[in-house]
Amino acid sequence: MTVDDGAPPLGGRAIIEQRWSTALFLHWRVDPAAIAGRLPPGTRPDLFDGSAWVGLIPFVLGDFRFLPLPPVPVVGSFVEINVRTYAVDERGRRGVVFLTLEAEHLLPVAGARALFGLPYRWARAGLRADEQAIEYRSHRHGPGPRPRTRIRVVPGATPVDTDLSRFLTARWGFHQSHLGRTIWAANEHEPWPLVDGELLALDDELLGDSGFAGLASRPPDSVLAMPSQHPGFLTRFGTPVRV
């Protein structure tokens, strides 16, 4: 099933803007029944080739600001690593459902939890890039479980633009349970520039902590990356609406 490769208009006022760069996309096929109970009310699993999909996506987030204010001082750029799946609601809006978002800066974490109810977790996270590969690491702070991850990928040189790559990345909003209701928050940005990727190493506990024990022990069914020299792009999020 195909998705639109360009973002539709937000349909309202943008309230948050941020820059995304250096993204990697690791995805696994899963049985739709494995995610159905994890989705917000009013949504159902979004499927490709009969499968639901779970992603592990690290990237760098920068230029964070609450519009129309300037970028939040002292935040700078920081690493975020999320575990996510995909849902569609009764109006046909196809979006991301976040299961966890590990981020190394506390202020945007607190703001996004308050505005959207997103399951952000404060973590020590970082990026190391060399001529061969991109490596992300994170380790959650605080009491309780403190899962870690280490992801090392070589971005390729072959552009990728397929029905599957668009299904996994061309997502123009997210669904989330917040304050007893399901919300939809749209976003807009340029289409993801994607190349193939080679996974060199994966030592991950985030997938298991999100309810998918054993998933990281098998190779991903899809590995994609942003081109190594791409500067990233700005993304805007609209005011959330009730589903």
Side-chain angles (χ1 to χ4, degrees):
M1 184 179 294
T2 59
V3 299
D4 295 334
D5 60 357
L10 282 181
R13 184 173 65 91
I15 60 173
I16 287 179
E17 184 178 82
Q18 51 194 233
R19 179 175 295 277
W20 294 346
S21 61
T22 324
L24 306 175
F25 298 87
L26 280 61
H27 281 92
W28 289 260
R29 291 179 180 268
V30 298
D31 189 319
I35 70 163
R38 305 174 188 275
L39 302 181
T43 69
R44 63 185 187 275
D46 199 0
L47 308 182
F48 186 92
D49 284 348
S51 295
W53 294 75
V54 171
L56 178 64
I57 291 90
F59 65 100
V60 175
L61 191 155
D63 299 332
F64 181 91
R65 64 179 181 142
F66 298 99
L67 296 169
L69 301 175
V72 178
V74 311
V75 170
S77 296
F78 61 93
V79 167
E80 178 181 308
I81 303 176
N82 63 66
V83 176
R84 71 193 206 186
T85 188
Y86 305 103
V88 59
D89 63 27
E90 293 179 357
R91 291 185 57 182
R93 294 176 294 203
R94 313 176 73 180
V96 173
V97 175
F98 293 104
L99 304 176
T100 186
L101 304 99
E102 313 289 306
E104 63 174 331
H105 206 293
L106 187 57
L107 182 60
V109 165
R113 287 183 69 97
L115 279 174
F116 301 118
L118 290 169
Y120 266 101
R121 303 290 187 269
W122 187 29
R124 184 174 71 249
L127 163 67
R128 179 183 299 170
D130 54 38
E131 295 181 355
Q132 292 185 331
I134 295 171
E135 181 172 306
Y136 283 95
R137 293 176 181 244
S138 77
H139 185 195
R140 189 181 298 171
H141 292 300
R146 298 178 61 195
R148 305 171 181 257
T149 193
R150 172 177 172 259
I151 307 159
R152 187 170 175 82
V153 168
V154 179
T158 304
V160 178
D161 182 15
T162 65
D163 286 349
L164 177 58
S165 70
R166 290 191 293 273
F167 176 89
L168 297 173
T169 65
R171 294 283 161 167
W172 311 116
F174 64 83
H175 296 97
Q176 176 63 33
S177 296
H178 185 41
L179 301 177
R181 60 181 185 172
T182 298
I183 62 170
W184 161 259
N187 63 46
E188 61 178 8
H189 57 77
E190 67 181 66
W192 284 98
L194 297 170
V195 295
D196 59 328
E198 178 187 0
L199 180 64
L200 296 184
L202 178 62
D203 183 8
D204 176 74
E205 298 172 340
L206 294 177
L207 290 166
D209 184 71
S210 300
F212 299 97
L215 200 61
S217 64
R218 64 177 174 88
D221 296 289
S222 172
V223 180
L224 300 168
M226 291 183 76
S228 296
Q229 304 304 317
H230 195 281
F233 50 75
L234 289 175
T235 303
R236 291 186 169 196
F237 288 86
T239 303
V241 298
R242 187 169 185 170
V243 171

